[in-house]
Amino acid sequence: MIFTHEVETMSCVKKGCNHGPAPIPQEGAWTQAKEIKDISGLTHGVGWCAPQQGACKLTLNVKNGVIEECLVETLGCSGMTHSAAMASEILPGKTILEALNTDLVCDAINTAMRELFLQIVYGRTQSAFSEGGLPIGAGLEDLGKGLRSQIGTHYGTKLKGARYLEMAEGYINKIALDADGEIIGYQFVRVGVMMDLIKKGTDANEALAKATGTYGRFDEAAKVIDPRHE
């Protein structure tokens, strides 16, 4: 380490109190984090690319500074899906500092990593007050049955009104309208559940029927339309 002449000739003044960093909440404890290995927690964050044509929701489960589990969900850009595939291989096993300074292929994923880094190192994690944190696998459990991201896709025009295409329940198959033409419910297909049934040997048509449900006053509809073709 090199010091300037001015610093070398200064008188030495003793440092007074030094209490260290302020403790942050981590997995049910208060931690004075001084190194990357002092950081633990599970949390989520979102990122976007420069042209803002796509977004990423990133979930990380960090133990002792190392990413043990990641969930990469993307929306709005076909190329992002392939970037997410690579990021899911890149992230596990890296420290959060390494991950922050690693090219995660897609700008939206990189931005999500930056936002998560800030949350985690400041103790703003989802597991901050959960004693012992959350087990590895908790990120995957966020997807629920069928292991599919919860996506909302809806389209509307002034001329023809709204079209529901995808809800948390799944793929929207039909929209129910009342006598005035207003939406009063919808029929959905739980795609993940349907595929699980088919993989277990259930006939495709039977699986479709079992995975189909309705919401709202669907049975009272004056008219039912296919939102993709009508």
Side-chain angles (χ1 to χ4, degrees):
M1 190 178 299
I2 300 173
F3 299 94
T4 66
H5 174 72
E6 288 79 4
V7 171
E8 286 184 333
T9 58
M10 286 180 180
S11 299
C12 187
V13 177
K14 187 177 180 180
K15 188 175 184 177
C17 61
N18 179 17
H19 301 300
I24 58 174
Q26 286 195 144
E27 302 193 335
W30 290 92
T31 308
Q32 284 189 305
K34 298 180 181 180
E35 301 178 44
I36 290 296
K37 66 180 179 61
D38 297 331
I39 300 293
S40 295
L42 180 143
T43 199
H44 323 268
V46 295
W48 53 94
C49 58
Q52 298 188 33
Q53 68 183 33
C56 168
K57 178 192 171 191
L58 181 61
T59 304
L60 299 179
N61 199 349
V62 178
K63 302 290 186 184
N64 302 317
V66 176
I67 297 169
E68 297 288 347
E69 170 189 24
C70 71
L71 173 64
V72 191
E73 302 172 84
T74 63
L75 176 71
C77 173
S78 57
M80 288 174 77
T81 62
H82 295 79
S83 300
M86 289 182 270
S88 69
E89 295 186 48
I90 293 168
L91 285 166
K94 287 191 177 293
T95 69
I96 56 171
L97 184 59
E98 284 181 291
L100 183 66
N101 290 287
T102 297
D103 181 8
L104 300 176
V105 189
C106 165
D107 198 28
I109 304 175
N110 287 322
T111 304
M113 183 63 227
R114 180 193 72 198
E115 298 301 308
L116 253 69
F117 182 87
L118 293 173
Q119 286 186 40
I120 295 169
V121 297
Y122 282 123
R124 270 64 170 180
T125 61
Q126 302 293 314
S127 57
F129 300 103
S130 301
E131 188 173 355
L134 297 175
I136 311 306
L140 194 62
E141 290 175 357
D142 269 4
L143 294 177
K145 290 183 178 179
L147 298 182
R148 283 173 57 86
S149 298
Q150 295 187 58
I151 298 174
T153 308
H154 305 81
Y155 177 73
T157 60
K158 180 181 177 182
L159 181 66
K160 297 295 184 178
R163 297 293 187 276
Y164 297 174
L165 303 174
E166 190 96 17
M167 290 278 204
E169 296 95 328
Y171 177 97
I172 304 302
N173 200 31
K174 301 287 184 183
I175 296 177
L177 308 178
D178 64 12
D180 295 324
E182 295 183 7
I183 297 172
I184 58 172
Y186 51 84
Q187 181 190 73
F188 57 84
V189 178
R190 298 184 182 93
V191 179
V193 172
M194 181 180 73
M195 293 305 300
D196 283 344
L197 289 168
I198 292 172
K199 284 186 281 188
K200 291 175 182 176
T202 304
D203 175 76
N205 289 323
E206 184 183 348
L208 175 62
K210 287 183 176 180
T212 298
T214 62
Y215 180 82
R217 295 183 288 125
F218 188 84
D219 294 335
E220 300 175 22
K223 183 180 181 181
V224 174
I225 65 170
D226 182 333
R228 290 169 176 79
H229 301 291
E230 294 179 72

